[in-house]
Amino acid sequence: MPTNATHAPGLRSWVQGANAPGCDFPIQNLPHGVFSPPGGAPRGGVAIGDQVLDVAAALAAGKLKGAAAEAAAEPSLNRLMAMGRDAAAELRAALSALLAEGAEPLPQLLHAQSAVTMHLPTEVRNFSDFMASRPHCARLGVKRDPANPLPPAFHHLPVAYHSRASSVRPSGAPLRRPWGQYPKDGAVVFAPTEAMDFELELAIWIAGENALGEPTPISLADRRLFGFGLLNDWSVRDVQRYEMPPLGPFLGKSVMTAVSPWVVTAEALEPFLLPQPARQAGDPPCPPHLATTRPDALNLQLRAAILTPRLRAAGAAPHTVTDTPFAGMSWTAAQMVAHHTSNGCNLLPGDLLGSGTVSGPEDGQEACIAELLLRGPIAFPNGETRRFLEDGDEVIFTGTASAPGFTTIGFGECRGEVLPAHASVT
Ligand code: CA
């Protein structure tokens, strides 16, 4: 789908905050989410500048109409995602017209983002997490096998596992440091983890549904991408390393997964699509059922920062530890959908995929602490150092999409603080 009037870089909104330089939510973005105003029930909204458009209020006022707007007003976006990308694109055009400069200002339909509570955008029924960054796999696999650090299947399919849907939470949810089993001092202990990590990933929200037994071919897989956000795949490294062989991650990953609350639609990201990076010399060819010439890679820049209790007390800014491009990932979101459904597995509307840790090849592009530590402890500007996360540390993800000639749009934040472990788990 080509770009259209909703992407025009000159477009401005009567919501003044949306026109501020560097704003994540200019009128070219229009992401969907679910929010509660003070004292009110959860409902669908659209971020515009520093405000939220109350979609139900816009419907009640006769300013929006139609089935997609009604679905976008509900307290979960599963039904909107079930309607698919064409419906979302039509709604986007109506939202753009409603909020554009020159239209009647309707401040009574807005709530300040600072005053509302954000919720999960969907009732997440399934969550699968992928592994698609070559540098991530290479850095972490080199200890296991220096000659062959990548998993054997890495070039043939986007490797993934089924993760836990019940413990997905919106940005802001704190993470209680978990207890778990891991080797320490020659024994296997059950104790609070000493290796609490984050993984900076892209959240992928699924549109539509394929019947069980009916794959979504790569030619149609991009139509299954409703939108995107930021995802923190909280990872308990000591527990994960011990429990993985041979069935894969379990308690090391199910502890919690956080997502940014705003779903930036695939339509909003049309200007930021790029051709997939070429395979490296010596890599096997892409299997035909995952191959496409469509530009499916996304030109995003994702960042992770850590705010320690001492930085917070001093009023200092969070310290950026990761600043990494997404476009170099070895597999695209569309390829993940085609692979996920290639055996006939049904992906449901509102299902969540994680892109896998978005690590780039350069220093500073390591998108989890396990990788950052390969260059030594993380050093903070105030002299503090970290191996893994300590209690009170807050991890903050941000991200932007940019391209020459288009307005940069952002994802908002995915943030969460590590709380102390329970005193005992008996
Ligand atoms: Ca992960």
Side-chain angles (χ1 to χ4, degrees):
M1 190 178 290
T3 58
N4 57 43
T6 67
H7 303 98
L11 201 59
R12 291 166 58 87
S13 174
W14 52 260
V15 180
Q16 283 311 314
N19 306 321
C23 170
D24 272 353
F25 306 119
I27 192 169
Q28 289 84 357
N29 194 342
L30 302 175
H32 291 276
V34 174
F35 75 101
S36 299
R43 66 197 71 179
V46 174
I48 179 77
D50 54 359
Q51 305 287 310
V52 184
L53 174 75
D54 187 328
V55 177
L59 280 161
K63 302 300 179 184
L64 286 174
K65 56 181 172 27
E70 288 168 12
E74 293 178 357
S76 94
L77 301 179
N78 294 72
R79 217 166 61 77
L80 177 65
M81 294 190 187
M83 297 172 78
R85 285 186 52 174
D86 289 341
E90 274 186 44
L91 177 57
R92 173 179 168 83
L95 288 164
S96 181
L98 179 68
L99 292 166
E101 200 169 62
E104 176 194 1
L106 299 163
Q108 67 273 27
L109 304 183
L110 303 178
H111 302 271
Q113 281 176 29
S114 58
V116 307
T117 303
M118 295 304 300
H119 305 283
L120 281 180
T122 74
E123 185 185 332
V124 181
R125 290 177 285 181
N126 296 284
F127 166 40
S128 306
D129 195 26
F130 283 82
M131 194 160 118
S133 156
R134 184 179 192 136
H136 171 72
C137 296
R139 287 196 190 98
L140 295 185
V142 80
K143 254 191 236 166
R144 179 175 38 81
D145 184 351
N148 299 290
L150 299 180
F154 186 84
H155 295 301
H156 300 277
L157 52 89
V159 175
Y161 67 101
H162 293 291
S163 196
R164 187 77 192 165
S166 69
S167 54
V168 177
R169 289 290 181 276
S171 173
L175 175 85
R176 177 73 61 188
R177 178 182 298 275
W179 286 60
Q181 290 170 285
Y182 52 90
K184 185 178 179 182
D185 303 331
V188 176
V189 300
F190 178 60
T193 177
E194 295 176 356
M196 196 65 235
D197 199 353
F198 65 82
E199 288 187 344
L200 171 58
E201 304 193 20
L202 195 69
I204 300 160
W205 296 101
I206 294 297
E209 180 169 354
N210 59 301
L212 182 62
E214 299 299 326
T216 297
I218 186 67
S219 59
L220 299 175
D222 63 324
R223 307 307 295 166
R224 302 294 309 278
L225 306 172
F226 184 88
F228 302 88
L230 305 168
L231 183 147
N232 185 350
D233 180 24
W234 289 110
S235 296
V236 193
R237 296 296 183 203
D238 36 18
V239 171
Q240 183 195 348
R241 275 195 295 264
Y242 185 59
E243 73 179 359
M244 286 242 321
L247 289 184
F250 192 54
L251 302 183
K253 294 289 191 174
S254 62
V255 58
M256 194 172 112
T257 304
V259 291
S260 58
W262 293 110
V263 179
V264 175
T265 62
E267 277 65 37
L269 290 169
E270 287 285 343
F272 312 106
L273 289 169
L274 290 174
Q276 196 174 3
R279 294 195 157 224
Q280 295 182 15
D283 291 352
C286 182
H289 73 289
L290 299 179
T292 175
T293 55
R294 191 178 50 221
D296 276 345
L298 281 167
N299 192 7
L300 314 177
Q301 194 71 21
L302 307 183
R303 296 169 202 91
I306 299 174
L307 185 64
T308 68
R310 271 182 56 194
L311 287 172
R312 190 183 299 117
H319 177 57
T320 298
V321 294
T322 309
D323 192 342
T324 184
F326 183 77
M329 297 285 271
S330 293
W331 298 97
T332 66
Q335 287 174 316
M336 292 172 191
V337 166
H339 174 64
H340 204 311
T341 64
S342 62
N343 67 346
C345 174
N346 50 331
L347 280 176
L348 304 179
D351 277 1
L352 176 64
L353 309 182
S355 66
T357 308
V358 186
S359 296
E362 311 290 336
D363 286 357
Q365 297 178 344
E366 304 98 329
C368 64
I369 294 177
E371 283 177 71
L372 285 162
L373 289 178
L374 298 174
R375 291 193 287 119
I378 300 170
F380 287 76
N382 62 355
E384 284 184 283
T385 59
R386 283 288 183 279
R387 291 195 59 81
F388 289 100
L389 294 168
E390 296 186 4
D391 294 344
D393 287 350
E394 188 171 19
V395 177
I396 303 155
F397 294 170
T398 53
T400 47
S402 55
F406 287 95
T407 303
T408 295
I409 65 175
F411 288 88
E413 282 186 339
C414 180
R415 63 194 300 154
E417 180 179 336
V418 179
L419 301 182
H422 291 300
S424 74
V425 187
T426 52

